[in-house]
Amino acid sequence: MNPFVFLTEAAAGEAAAGGGSMIVMLVVMFAVFYFMLIRPENKKKKQAEEMRNSISLGDELTTIGGIIGKVVQVTEDTITIETGEDRVRIQLKKWAISTTAKQEAAEAAKAANATSFFGKKKKS
């Protein structure tokens, strides 16, 4: 028997066994990416969409450009806000809304009550 044939058969057997573990590793890596990157991003998008759909008259909000104003009109895909003392009205698309005053207050309260990994209050 030729020793090279034996070595190639052994290498083929090892490659087949290693291929199975390679697939398992790829599945595990995909699962890690899904739970660490994709799922949190989808949750964040869903929360932003819910926030934009729950805006009502009188809410104070901030746009992605940094404009702060009070909502005076809401339609299906646009919002009209008033800014400043001179009552300038600006019409915006809903996707341009960054945060609302209610959302900022909730985040500030959550940050104030946040604890570290060891159960101690975080310093602000």
Side-chain angles (χ1 to χ4, degrees), residues 21-124:
S21 66
M22 181 66 91
I23 291 172
V24 170
M25 289 300 291
L26 286 173
V27 169
V28 168
M29 263 187 10
F30 179 76
V32 168
F33 277 124
Y34 177 77
F35 285 108
M36 299 295 283
L37 299 173
I38 298 169
R39 189 166 180 249
E41 187 64 30
N42 287 343
K43 278 186 168 183
K44 193 179 286 187
K45 284 180 185 178
K46 186 176 179 182
Q47 287 176 342
E49 188 66 29
E50 288 175 2
M51 179 268 303
R52 290 179 181 126
N53 289 332
S54 69
I55 292 174
S56 60
L57 296 179
D59 287 352
E60 192 168 310
L61 51 84
T62 305
T63 68
I64 58 174
I67 299 171
I68 299 172
K70 187 177 277 189
V71 177
V72 293
Q73 183 182 7
V74 178
T75 63
E76 189 173 322
D77 62 342
T78 62
I79 294 176
T80 305
I81 63 171
E82 264 185 13
T83 62
E85 296 294 322
D86 53 356
R87 299 174 53 128
V88 173
R89 289 188 175 201
I90 302 173
Q91 193 171 18
L92 307 163
K93 293 284 188 180
K94 278 190 175 180
W95 59 262
I97 305 303
S98 174
T99 58
T100 62
K102 291 184 278 188
Q103 182 185 11
E104 289 174 352
E107 288 175 2
K110 188 176 180 181
N113 293 331
T115 58
S116 70
F117 181 74
F118 299 108
K120 297 179 181 177
K121 287 246 182 205
K122 289 184 177 180
K123 295 179 182 176
S124 298

